[in-house]
Amino acid sequence: MEKGNEKVMSLVQLPQKAIKDVQFKLKELENGYKSWLAKQPLPVEAAIVTATTAINGAAIGAFLGVMTQDLTSSLPTPPPQSSLNPDAVAPFQQVQAVAGGPLVQARNFAVITGVNAGISCVMKRLRGKEDLQSSVVAAFGSGAAFSLVSGMGGANPAVNAFTSGLLFAIFQGCSFKIGEMWQSTQRPTADDVYYARTRGMLDKLGLQNYTKNFKRGLLTDSTLPLLTDSALRDVRIPPGPRLLILDHIQRDPELKKSR
């Protein structure tokens, strides 16, 4: 029976361990790249961040352009007599700037994401932090650049660039504040101190999704040495994770002393 349980646990743990190893390696590479980048002069860092982000943005834009190609093929074209009237052509330019083909969308996304990332990088290096002000400035710059590159708007490029930048900044500012409010709701609550060891155990086993089950059943850290299969089943934890949890508790010398 024990050998069978060990086989089940090894089969459950194997893919989880492989995934964790890959995630760890990727995190190491990411941290190494960020550390190297932070040591570069500001112009070099800003140029690399802008270029790499713009390339990623262009790829996303091209993909979206391909997906919406049927839509762009049916876009209206300005009548011949409107070619000399900028006000008549402006609405058609706006539609084409927003819903163009793969190349147009690749250009638009490259400009928006690249300029935004470059300005954010400079602001963070100069100010030492990422906050609402930096986010709004970066959004204004990306909106203005998008307007100038795409030709979106009427006959006055400067006014159009300012208006687009302002709209981007307002949208980004609102998104930033909403994100802050959401993060504040995700902060640990006062009762989380009673589940500190439980969270550590579940994280180590790759079962962090079951933290809410422990809280729902009021299975605090003090109950860990007393846990049984039926108690875990009562809080709707599946058989495989139950075996891993009980085996971990059985092997933990500190928990065994508390029994």
Side-chain angles (χ1 to χ4, degrees):
M1 182 65 179
E2 290 182 0
K3 290 183 177 179
N5 290 342
E6 289 179 359
K7 288 182 179 179
V8 171
M9 287 184 288
S10 62
L11 289 174
V12 174
Q13 286 178 321
L14 189 59
Q16 293 175 345
K17 185 178 184 302
I19 293 172
K20 281 188 174 182
D21 288 343
V22 172
Q23 290 175 337
F24 180 76
K25 292 295 183 183
L26 291 175
K27 195 66 178 178
E28 273 191 333
L29 290 173
E30 181 184 357
N31 291 337
Y33 170 73
K34 287 182 178 179
S35 177
W36 172 82
L37 196 59
K39 297 176 183 177
Q40 305 307 309
L42 177 56
V44 174
E45 181 184 8
I48 293 175
V49 169
T50 301
T52 54
T53 308
I55 292 171
N56 290 334
I60 295 172
F63 175 76
L64 292 176
V66 171
M67 297 296 292
T68 59
Q69 205 160 18
D70 292 339
L71 173 64
T72 59
S73 62
S74 61
L75 290 176
T77 55
Q81 63 270 22
S82 66
S83 58
L84 300 177
N85 186 351
D87 293 331
V89 177
F92 297 95
Q93 291 178 330
Q94 292 176 358
V95 174
Q96 292 173 344
V98 175
L103 293 179
V104 173
Q105 293 292 1
R107 177 202 64 193
N108 291 347
F109 274 77
V111 170
I112 293 172
T113 57
V115 173
N116 190 296
I119 296 177
S120 295
C121 174
V122 173
M123 294 289 289
K124 181 180 179 181
R125 177 73 77 92
L126 295 177
R127 304 180 72 245
K129 59 181 179 180
E130 290 181 278
D131 55 8
L132 177 62
Q133 182 177 338
S134 299
S135 181
V136 167
V137 171
F140 180 88
S142 62
F146 165 70
S147 176
L148 293 173
V149 171
S150 66
M152 185 176 178
N156 194 328
V159 172
N160 297 330
F162 178 82
T163 303
S164 297
L166 187 61
L167 290 174
F168 272 59
I170 292 173
F171 178 79
Q172 183 65 23
C174 293
S175 300
F176 189 92
K177 296 303 291 185
I178 292 173
E180 279 189 335
M181 293 171 60
W182 184 84
Q183 286 181 355
S184 66
T185 63
Q186 304 302 309
R187 290 172 184 165
T189 57
D191 66 339
D192 279 356
V193 295
Y194 300 109
Y195 299 93
R197 186 160 192 170
T198 301
R199 284 198 308 273
M201 175 189 69
L202 295 176
D203 288 344
K204 184 176 181 179
L205 297 173
L207 303 174
Q208 54 270 19
N209 291 338
Y210 295 107
T211 304
K212 60 182 182 297
N213 300 67
F214 275 76
K215 289 186 175 182
R216 191 182 301 123
L218 299 180
L219 299 177
T220 62
D221 291 348
S222 60
T223 67
L224 288 180
L226 308 173
L227 282 182
T228 61
D229 185 77
S230 60
L232 295 174
R233 187 169 59 247
D234 287 343
V235 293
R236 298 185 178 181
I237 296 179
R242 290 205 305 268
L243 289 172
L244 292 176
I245 292 169
L246 293 173
D247 179 71
H248 176 83
I249 293 173
Q250 181 65 28
R251 294 171 183 272
D252 192 320
E254 293 186 11
L255 289 176
K256 288 180 70 175
K257 288 179 183 178
S258 304
R259 286 180 178 268

